[in-house]
Every structure is written in structure tokens, then in C-alpha cells.
Amino acid sequence: MTNERDPRNRLNDLDARAWTYALRSVISTAYPTRGAASLAHHLRRKHPSPKPPQLMAELIRFFTRRHGHILDPFAGVGGTLIASSLEERTAVGIDLSPEYASIYQAVCAELGIPSQTYLVADARHLLDLPAVRERPFDLILTDPPYAAMMARPKTGERRKRGRPQPTPFTTSPADLGNLPYHEFIRELSAILSSALQVLRPDGHLVVFAKDLQPTPEHHNMLHADLVVALRQIPGLEYRGYQIWHDQSQRLYPFGYPYTFVANQMHQFILIFRWRGE
Ligand SMILES: C[S@@+](CC[C@H](N)C(=O)[O-])C[C@H]1O[C@@H](n2cnc3c(N)ncnc32)[C@H](O)[C@@H]1O
């Protein structure tokens, strides 16, 4: 293997060694949550589930070249946008919440990095936003809310120990995180389908998905249901997934001492290639 970038490689700026490392099936991380290396985690943690910019940076390095252009329709406090600045890419982020937008601005100020275009808007109408239509994106990298997961009261250990219940991302009826499972999948597919209109051919769509606990009615493997739904979009090719193992998650004795309840310390990173219409 050489340290040179292969001239045939038009996807990214990686050499063969870095490319191979990026292909590991489990990305296991324990990023710092204090100090400068935490990338202002103390501000970002005001969001219920911020993504580590270091993780997003790794995906951005694989799926774009320097100066590439990235869209995140569910930007939150800016995991994708912060990573884009750190990796010398440009980005457009959308989120319903003005609070998350201002936390993102505070993070950029603290880190001394340029802020990306952040639009407080409903991603269901993303094609109406001029900044989204300005020029094609190389990558859509996003971490959507998960089917009423944040809004749903939790049973089990969390409740037993009197832990605070998870709050919804926003209370807006437009918040996908407040929708029932199947409606959520329909709305998310519609948003991603319209976002593909502004993705360049051969660009990638990379979507995080976390499964829910099974119920007697449904397996709730959101990642699988999402792949089934997105594969219906003509021109969109499913390429596979990687697993993000978040070592910072605590293990809880769910179900103890009666029955098995999975601790979910991982999320799926679903990868699609856009062939164009
Ligand atoms: C899992 S969070 C994203 C977190 C983000 N990756 C970060 O690092 O902060 C999902 C986000 O989607 C936003 N959201 C939900 N429905 C939306 C909609 N219809 N349009 C735009 N944003 C929406 C929520 O406000 C929430 O911040």
C-alpha cells in the first residue's frame, strides 16, 4: 500500500491505508467530554443527542474531498456542520429549533471556527430554501430524530431510579421525532427523497438510525425498515452499513432480574449512493 492518493480516486483525499481503516465495520469511539478536545461538549450537551463532530469528520473525510459541500437536514447543535468546518468543507444545516441554532453559533465562537449556513426551518420544505438550491451537494449526512423515541416515556430502569424522562427535541408538530413509527418512516423518506434532488450524481446519502426496543406488535428494527423504504426511491442504491459503538454510553441492568432487555450502545450508519434520476 502506498501513502499516495490514487489518481483514480475521485471520492475522497485518502490514501489506500486510510481508506482501508475507514472501512472497518464497527467504529468504536470514546471521545473526550471535557476540555478543548471535547469540541465544546459542555455547550452541545444541551441537546438531547448531539453527534460527536469527530465521528462526523471521519465520515466526511471518506465521502467528500476537501472543499466538498454537505447537507444536514436535521442539524441539531451542529455535529455535521462543526466537522465540515474542521475538515475545510462547506455545509448547509437545517433544524426547526432556534435554540439549537444559537447553541451551534456559540460552539463556533468558542472553537474559533467559521460557522456554516444554518437555516431554522422545516426540512419537509427544504427545496423552498434558496441556500439549499444554490449548488449541488456532494454528501447528505444526517442524524434524524427516531420515531417518537425521545417523546415516548421510558419504562424500566430509568423510571425505577426516578431518572428524568427524555424530552422531545422540540414540541413542534413538525418535529419528526414526535411521529408514530410508520408515519415517521414515510415523512423521513419524503424529506430525504427531496434532498436527493440537490445531491450530485454519485454523491452519497449517509443516515444514522437507532433501533427501538421490540414490542409484541413489531420488531422495531428501524434501520432495516428505513433501508426498505429508501430502496423504493429510483436511482438510490443501498451500499451497506457501519455500526457506531458509543463507548460513552452507560450499561443499565434493564430487565434485571426477570428478562432480557438489550442495552443499545450502537447506532447504524446507513450508506446509500445516488445514481441520479
Ligand atoms: C438526532 S437530532 C440531530 C442532532 C445533531 N446530529 C447534532 O449533532 O446535534 C435530530 C434533530 O432533528 C430536528 N428536527 C425534527 N424534525 C425536524 C423537521 N421537520 N425539520 C427540521 N429539523 C427537524 C430536531 O429539532 C433535532 O434537533
Side-chain angles (χ1 to χ4, degrees):
M1 275 189 204
T2 80
N3 289 333
E4 306 264 309
R5 196 177 130 262
D6 189 309
R8 293 168 300 179
N9 174 6
R10 293 167 58 192
L11 175 58
N12 56 41
D13 299 323
L14 304 182
D15 61 26
R17 191 179 296 274
W19 178 296
T20 308
Y21 182 68
L23 296 185
R24 64 204 188 284
S25 61
V26 178
I27 303 176
S28 198
T29 69
Y31 297 116
T33 51
R34 286 160 198 263
S38 77
L39 300 175
H41 180 75
H42 68 105
L43 295 174
R44 294 185 293 103
R45 70 198 286 266
K46 293 176 190 155
H47 187 284
S49 74
K51 277 285 171 300
Q54 300 93 323
L55 172 68
M56 304 317 246
E58 188 171 332
L59 296 166
I60 285 171
R61 286 194 296 273
F62 190 85
F63 289 107
T64 61
R65 302 190 64 181
R66 195 161 160 245
H67 303 312
H69 196 39
I70 299 149
L71 174 65
D72 183 352
F74 303 102
V77 289
T80 301
L81 305 186
I82 296 161
S84 300
S85 297
L86 296 173
E87 297 299 326
E88 298 177 80
R89 274 68 167 174
T90 54
V92 175
I94 304 168
D95 202 286
L96 286 172
S97 162
E99 286 81 17
Y100 298 153
S102 45
I103 294 172
Y104 167 66
Q105 298 302 345
V107 171
C108 291
E110 178 163 314
L111 299 180
I113 57 172
S115 61
Q116 304 284 348
T117 304
Y118 193 116
L119 308 168
V120 176
D122 182 348
R124 292 178 302 174
H125 309 294
L126 59 82
L127 290 177
D128 297 342
L129 303 166
V132 168
R133 303 198 77 118
E134 214 163 71
R135 67 190 171 95
F137 294 93
D138 301 295
L139 170 66
I140 300 167
L141 173 58
T142 199
D143 166 34
Y146 308 114
M149 188 178 82
M150 304 309 297
R152 201 173 52 186
K154 287 249 160 54
T155 52
E157 194 57 19
R158 193 186 281 273
R159 177 174 288 169
K160 266 196 274 176
R161 291 189 181 182
R163 287 171 177 276
Q165 295 297 311
T167 45
F169 292 118
T170 73
T171 49
S172 164
D175 189 329
L176 263 61
N178 300 332
L179 294 178
Y181 189 86
H182 292 289
E183 213 176 307
F184 166 79
I185 291 182
R186 264 199 310 279
E187 287 278 0
L188 179 59
S189 306
I191 290 173
L192 295 177
S193 180
S194 50
L196 291 171
Q197 317 250 317
V198 288
L199 182 65
R200 70 166 168 79
D202 281 335
H204 288 81
L205 165 67
V206 176
V207 188
F208 280 78
K210 183 169 182 174
D211 288 351
L212 283 74
Q213 294 290 355
T215 60
E217 295 76 40
H218 191 56
H219 55 64
N220 276 342
M221 287 193 282
L222 177 61
H223 79 283
D225 284 335
L226 202 50
V227 170
V228 170
L230 294 177
R231 284 185 75 249
Q232 307 298 313
I233 301 174
L236 189 64
E237 180 187 22
Y238 175 55
R239 302 290 302 171
Y241 66 76
Q242 289 180 295
I243 286 175
W244 173 45
H245 169 215
D246 181 3
Q247 292 179 39
S248 70
Q249 294 280 320
R250 287 178 55 187
L251 267 179
Y252 289 101
F254 295 134
Y256 178 83
Y258 302 111
T259 188
F260 174 83
V261 180
N263 264 285
Q264 298 208 34
M265 304 167 82
H266 67 281
Q267 299 190 12
F268 293 85
I269 305 172
L270 307 176
I271 297 158
F272 300 83
R273 186 174 184 181
W274 175 232
R275 294 297 190 173
E277 282 169 311

